[in-house]
Amino acid sequence: MARLDYFAPGVYIEEIDRGSRPIEGVSTAIAGFVGFTEDVRGGAELFKPALVTNWTQYLNYFARANSDGFTDFNAYLPFAVYGYFMNGGGRCWITSIGTQLPGAPKPPETQATSLRITGRGNRPSLRFNIRPEQIATGAIAIIISDSGPRALPEGTEGDIPPNTGEYFKVQIRRGDETLEEYDNLTMNREPNAQFATYAIAALRNSMFVNIEDISQTGQPLARRPGNGQYEITIPIVQAAPDRFSANFEGVRDDRTGVRGLFEIDEITMVACPDLMRAYQSELMNLDQVHGIMELMISMCEGSNSGDIPNPPNRMVVLDAPPDCPKPQQVVDWLNRFNRRSMFAALYYPWIKVPNPRDRGNPISVPPCGHMMGVWGRTDETRGVYKAPANEVPRGVIGLDYEVNFREQELLNPIGINCVRKFPNRGIRIWGARTLVEPDKTEWRYISVRRLISYIEKSIELGTQWAVFEPNDEDLWARVRRTVSNFLERIWREGALFGATPEQAFYVKCDGELNPPETMILGRLYIEVGVCPVRPAEFVVFRISQWNGVEGE
């Protein structure tokens, strides 16, 4: 920045920022899911969203130890998340609404607050139990790591015994907080107290856990617990069925349920696959299901209009009810739901995927998770401007109903995107429309809605530097240059239509938009117009006979 005062003669070097600040495009494919999971552990909380970046991390948060992550009551969320990652999805946020269907008989549990740690050869070593008074405070992690014999006090004569590998350390943690730590432990029941402590004796007075030696006979090294981080989970109390709908919706201030998911700014697409599981189990009737769908759509619309303080760059992927397998039935259901929005998309029919809990036999699941994975894959390989259609959904082995051409002529005009099976081409997504009103043709396509949201959010975040700058023509020119450079970049990538940048977009920021009366109010107005590319949904060849004679 230029100095305003010079006192001593000399040469002064000043760095001046004359270039425009580039706008970086925001992430467009970060999903949010709400549904049932097999477990909630590893720091994840019931009804609250947790960030998951891959399937292994999902298992760490929402599956029991050494489990495949799916559930015995066939919850749809694990299938949706698995399909999301398989099809190219990246980060996602997951909100668990329970590990059992409310009202279902509780499965037999064997000491839910107990942890069994094994040693060499997978032989039993130690058992930890949370003290009853600590159960309400949350899960506890046990960390076993290497240690050695205790050092002799300074000035004491004698030799320290060799480290035979039998010594270990126990840390008790909750989250990132270390609650207790015990070092120089051994499984030797009669150790030399000068160098080590029997593990049971050391933890006898722990405030958080009870410990039990379950090892068999053998040397202390053979009975030593294996290194690692282990968790003692807390039994999850299932909500009453009459509270299920309210818990599903959640509370914004508590960051729970669907409302809590919308408080995560980076999420750009949302789905609730287990809405249909709740409907099938009669936990919710159809009107309650419509209520949650309406809530998701309204929150997307409210964010875009500014009524709700959330990012205006989200879409909802809906699923048709399971009792609407045929085209006319899904049309009748959509007419009953009677909700139109450019921020919603609907796919039909349900898809069939292998069920690991049934020896790999097919199970019908809602398509939302796989579809959002394809959205992410298309964004990554082509760009957000490419319609996520004519793509093969990975992991799909069949469809609940095979839609033909004439049936799609009924569904496509009202915004129902079909997943179809084609001879020699496999199963493909054969639709790319939003659920907007049919007469609003400018918002007909998913790719157009998401492209405009991408441009809006990128410009919003990329021009924050302009806030509180002097509102003069220099600022106007810098803003025009910054936004124009960003739009020209995405035009060159193929996102905007036009032979030249002037045909593809314009950026206006001048005295006409910013008269003195608005400047007095501290406002700067910039007008941006773009011409998005649209998918070639109908490819028409006009063929006629030609005799090859010139002039005819």
Side-chain angles (χ1 to χ4, degrees), residues 471 476 510-525:
N471 194 356
W476 301 350
D510 54 20
E512 182 182 353
L513 285 178
N514 297 280
E517 51 268 27
T518 63
M519 297 172 65
I520 291 174
L521 296 174
R523 298 175 183 176
L524 172 62
Y525 289 97

Side-chain angles (χ1 to χ4, degrees), residues 71-97:
T71 66
D72 293 332
F73 60 99
N74 291 333
Y76 294 136
L77 181 131
F79 292 101
V81 175
Y82 187 81
Y84 173 75
F85 287 127
M86 177 180 286
N87 279 279
R91 296 200 306 274
C92 66
W93 291 79
I94 296 172
T95 297
S96 174
I97 55 173

Side-chain angles (χ1 to χ4, degrees), residues 35-80:
F36 294 105
T37 59
E38 185 186 31
D39 202 352
V40 180
R41 63 189 183 100
E45 298 181 65
L46 195 66
F47 299 119
K48 294 190 176 182
L51 176 63
V52 172
T53 58
N54 53 58
W55 181 248
T56 301
Q57 194 172 19
Y58 173 87
L59 297 179
N60 292 336
Y61 284 145
F62 297 108
R64 298 193 184 112
N66 303 316
S67 170
D68 55 19
F70 298 87
T71 66
D72 293 332
F73 60 99
N74 291 333
Y76 294 136
L77 181 131
F79 292 101

Side-chain angles (χ1 to χ4, degrees), residues 128-131 142 172 203 206-211 232:
F128 290 86
N129 292 278
I130 296 182
R131 286 186 175 273
I142 305 293
I172 302 174
L203 275 79
S206 170
M207 297 176 59
F208 299 92
V209 297
N210 294 319
I211 186 172
I232 311 178

